[in-house]
Amino acid sequence: MKILVVSEGKHELNLDDNEPRNGPLVRLIARVIEAHGSDSLEFERRPVSALPPRMMGSGKAGNYEHRAMAWVRFAEIEKFDAIVLLVDQDKSPARREGLEAAQINSRYSLPRAMGLAVKTFDAWMLADEQAISTAIDKIVMRQKSPETLKDPKQVLHSLIDGASEPRTIVYLLIAEHTNLATLCERCPEGFEPFHARLASLVSNAS
């Protein structure tokens, strides 16, 4: 199963040319899909800003339904079996509406999982304190509800600063060890529906 993964930040995708390992978002995606019966996975990572201009047509980049569907069209043309697109909510509440519309848009048949992290992807890394503790080899206490934090990135960085591994690797280790059920429970607006859409890719792509 060949999957195009589109997202924003360097921590999500790990696009460092000197670091060949997939980023934490891809690891979370793989864990969910593998748990639902597919273990032959191939990923290609692209930053959401890297969509070829010709694919956008006359639509505006700020229209997230149009932007997401342009990526779906690109993935279909490039013969991917599915596309996963995740962006941060940040301070753009309209992104949710656009992504929800793109999820159900039937213009293209390619299986997809559109996701929105509340408020940022870093919140998902805060859900399981045991995973953080394992990643940095230091006991970390349970954090407040991640989706209610004003700045989850700052909270996470304050916890992992001083770790022996660089941040990109710490994120990857957290994604590897995070309990997915805990992540669904503690990030119900962002990760739980995204998890369900990832799980459905297996049946939709078969």
Side-chain angles (χ1 to χ4, degrees), residues 117-143:
V118 181
K119 299 183 174 78
T120 66
F121 177 76
D122 311 85
W124 295 2
M125 300 288 97
L126 287 166
D128 187 343
E129 70 278 7
Q130 293 184 24
I132 304 172
S133 300
T134 299
I136 65 174
D137 195 24
K138 178 182 176 182
I139 296 176
V140 173
M141 302 302 291
R142 188 177 180 88
Q143 302 300 299

Side-chain angles (χ1 to χ4, degrees), residues 49-130:
S49 60
L51 181 71
R54 61 184 171 81
M55 302 303 300
M56 278 298 295
S58 60
K60 296 181 179 179
N63 179 330
Y64 257 78
E65 180 182 9
H66 183 86
R67 187 170 187 168
M69 290 308 297
W71 271 113
V72 173
R73 177 171 174 252
F74 173 83
E76 193 166 86
I77 290 172
E78 295 297 317
K79 306 299 183 183
F80 285 92
D81 298 309
I83 180 172
V84 177
L85 188 150
L86 176 82
V87 295
D88 292 341
Q89 177 186 6
D90 290 329
K91 297 180 180 180
S92 304
R95 289 183 178 184
R96 180 184 296 278
E97 182 179 349
L99 292 174
E100 291 299 317
Q103 179 66 37
I104 62 174
N105 190 311
S106 59
R107 183 176 182 184
Y108 304 109
S109 61
L110 189 73
R112 71 204 67 164
M114 301 288 168
L116 185 75
V118 181
K119 299 183 174 78
T120 66
F121 177 76
D122 311 85
W124 295 2
M125 300 288 97
L126 287 166
D128 187 343
E129 70 278 7
Q130 293 184 24

Side-chain angles (χ1 to χ4, degrees), residues 137-156:
D137 195 24
K138 178 182 176 182
I139 296 176
V140 173
M141 302 302 291
R142 188 177 180 88
Q143 302 300 299
K144 293 181 179 179
S145 177
E147 293 185 336
T148 67
L149 295 171
K150 183 178 180 180
D151 190 350
K153 184 188 297 289
Q154 182 181 36
V155 174
L156 179 62

Side-chain angles (χ1 to χ4, degrees), residues 7-51:
S7 192
E8 294 176 296
K10 63 180 182 179
H11 293 311
E12 286 95 315
L13 295 177
N14 192 7
L15 296 173
D16 186 348
D17 291 337
N18 297 317
E19 175 50 66
R21 283 176 286 189
N22 282 321
L25 173 58
V26 175
R27 186 65 197 119
L28 287 175
I29 293 168
R31 289 183 60 200
V32 174
I33 295 176
E34 287 166 358
H36 287 80
S38 180
D39 57 3
S40 180
L41 302 174
E42 178 184 348
F43 296 100
E44 185 171 319
R45 296 162 286 166
R46 298 286 184 94
V48 70
S49 60
L51 181 71

